Amino acid sequence: MRAVAETKQAAPDGTPAEQPVVLEISGLSKSFGDHAVLRDITLKVHKGETVCLLGPSGAGKSTLLRCINWLEEPDGGAVFLAGQRIGVRPHSNLRMTDRELAAIRTRIGMVFQHFALWPHMTVLQNVMEAPLHVLKRNKAEVRQEAEALLQRVGLADKVDSFPAKLSGGQKQRVGIARCLAMKPDVILFDEPTSSLDPELVGEVLAVMRDLARDGMTMVVVTHEMNFARDAASRIVFMDNGQIIETGRPEQFFAAPKTERARQFLMRYAAQGR
Amino acid sequence: MSEFAVVWQHRSMILVGFENTLIIVAISAAGALVLGALLTIPLMSRLKPIRSLATAYVDAMRCVPFLLFVYLLYFGLPSLGLRFDNWSAGVAALILYNTAYMGELLRASWSNLPKEMIEAGHAFGFSGWRLFRRIILPPVVFSALPLIGNQLIQIVKDSAFLTIIAVAELTHEATSLQTTYFVPFASFIAAVILYWVTCVTIEGAVGFANRFAEDRR
C-alpha cells in the first residue's frame, strides 16, 4: 500500500498543497484496435478537488474516466485509489477477480451521461440498492440516509416514482444521490449534462456546485465551460489521448498556455458557452 | 341425445383432462421460465466455449419437432437404460423444449438492455449472480413479457402432444370420450373451448403484468 496522505508542495497548476492524494493515474494507456485513445496519462487528484476534464470530442476524456474504475481495462499504466491499485492484485501482475474489482468500485462513484438508473426500481430503491445489497448495510439506516440525500438533491417528493416518470434533470439528480449513498472517495462524472435539454442543465449543475463546495472529490468530464470556470479547482485539458495542459480555471480560461487549448476555448466562446 | 348432451353427461372426463393440462402447463411453464432465465447466463457468457454450448442446445431444441422429442424421451431413452413414466417424460419434454425458447427470447431481451444500465451495476460494486439477479434479470423479464406470454400459450398447445404417450391431459380425454361414445365434434369442440379459455386467461394475466411492468421499463 502506498501512503494515503502525501504532503504536496504548492503547485502552480492549482494542485492543492496540503490535501492527500485520493486518485493517482500513472502512465495510463488504452487503445481500441490500432487507435490509441489514451497515451501515457499521468494525473493526481487530491481530496476535495474538483478536476474538470476538458477537450474536444474524441480526446479520450470519457475513456480516461472509464479506465479509472476499470469499466474499460487499460492496456498499460496504473490507477491507485487512496494508494490501492485498481484492477491488479497487490504485489503481483495478476488481474483482480470480478469480486475484488467490484469491492474497490464501491469506493468510486460514477454518474453516467445517460443516467443509467435501474428502471425497475423506484427512485428510493435506486439510491438504496447498492448500500443495501452490495455493502450489506442496515436497511432502516440506509433508508433514512437515502431519503435525506433525495431531499438534498430536491427530489423528496419523487421517492416512489419510477425513473421512466422523471425528467432528464431529475434522473441525473437521482444518479448523483445514488453515488452519494455509497459515500465514495471520489465521484466520476461522465458528461452529466450532455443529454439534458438546456433548461434542465442548471438544476444538475447546481447540485454539482453544492457538492464541490462541500469538499467532495470529483472528476468531471464536461462541456459546460461556465461550470468548469466557477466550480473546478483544476482544469485538465486533453486532446488526442494526451493531457495537453493543466491549470487553475482562472489561469486556463484567461490565458491558456497552449495553442490547442486557445483554439478550443475560442470555439466555445464563438458558440456563446 | 345430441353430441353435446353426451359430452355434458360425461363432463368429468373432460374436466379431469383439463385439470391435468393445467397442472402440466403450470409445472412446465414455471420450469421453462426458471431454467430459461438461467440459460441466458451461458448464452451471454464472455467465454466462447460456454456460449457455443448453450447456443448449440437452443439450436438443437429449435430444430427438433416437439412430437419427435417426446417420442425420443419416452420411447428412445429406455434403450439407454433411462426409463420415465409417461407423466415425467411428458413434463420433462415440455420443460426442456421450452427452456430453449424462453432462454433465447430472454437472451434477446438482455442484448437489448441499455449497456450503461448494466455498467452502472458494475460501477456500484455488483458482480456475478447478484448483478444478474438484481440488476439484469428484472428488466429483462419486464421487457420480454409479451414474448413470454406467447411462449406460455405455446406450452399450452404443445401439452396436447402428450396424448401420444397416453398422458391423461385434455386432448387425450377428449379423444377417449369421442372414441367411446362416437361424439367427435362435441368432444373436440369442448376441448378447444377449454384450451381457448386457458390461453385467453394467460393473455389477460400477461396483459395485467405488462401494465405493471410499463413504468418499470
Side-chain angles (χ1 to χ4, degrees), chain B residues 65-143:
Chain B
F66 181 66
L67 190 60
L68 203 58
F69 188 58
V70 175
Y71 276 140
L72 194 68
L73 255 61
Y74 189 60
F75 297 114
L77 287 184
S79 310
L80 303 175
L82 287 169
R83 192 174 296 279
F84 298 105
D85 61 52
N86 57 347
W87 266 80
S88 306
V91 170
L94 276 172
I95 291 175
L96 292 174
Y97 196 77
N98 285 285
T99 289
Y101 284 90
M102 287 288 188
E104 178 54 21
L105 68 88
L106 292 173
R107 183 208 59 77
S109 168
W110 184 342
S111 299
N112 288 332
L113 282 189
K115 198 171 142 231
E116 266 195 345
M117 202 192 81
I118 299 172
E119 282 186 340
H122 286 292
F124 279 80
F126 287 90
S127 66
W129 172 251
R130 205 185 292 153
L131 178 76
F132 175 72
R133 161 74 189 80
R134 299 213 55 89
I135 305 295
I136 297 172
L137 187 59
V140 161
V141 171
F142 286 150
S143 305

Side-chain angles (χ1 to χ4, degrees), chain A residues 72-134:
Chain A
E72 296 288 351
E73 193 171 326
D75 297 333
V79 183
F80 298 90
L81 180 71
Q84 186 185 355
R85 186 157 179 196
I86 301 173
V88 178
R89 286 178 165 177
H91 316 299
S92 78
N93 280 325
L94 293 175
R95 189 190 189 279
M96 282 179 166
T97 62
D98 285 352
R99 191 177 285 234
E100 289 167 337
L101 196 51
I104 199 165
R105 278 174 176 152
T106 59
R107 296 162 53 199
I108 308 169
M110 187 158 196
V111 175
F112 292 80
Q113 182 177 355
H114 299 291
F115 326 121
L117 298 181
W118 299 308
H120 54 293
M121 297 176 197
T122 63
V123 163
L124 185 64
Q125 286 167 339
N126 261 278
V127 178
M128 290 174 66
E129 180 67 13
L132 213 53
H133 295 284
V134 177

Side-chain angles (χ1 to χ4, degrees), chain B residues 6 16 24 28-29 35 65 67 99 102 107 127 129-130 137 148-150 163 172 191 193 195 209 213:
Chain B
V6 174
V16 165
I24 290 166
S28 307
L35 292 179
L67 190 60
T99 289
M102 287 288 188
R107 183 208 59 77
S127 66
W129 172 251
R130 205 185 292 153
L137 187 59
I148 291 171
N150 286 347
T163 187
H172 187 267
I193 289 170
Y195 278 119

Side-chain angles (χ1 to χ4, degrees), chain B residues 32-53:
Chain B
L33 197 54
V34 170
L35 292 179
L38 294 176
L39 182 62
T40 56
I41 298 171
L43 282 171
M44 293 295 284
S45 173
R46 281 176 293 184
L47 303 172
K48 199 171 175 218
I50 292 177
R51 207 169 57 239
S52 302
L53 207 65

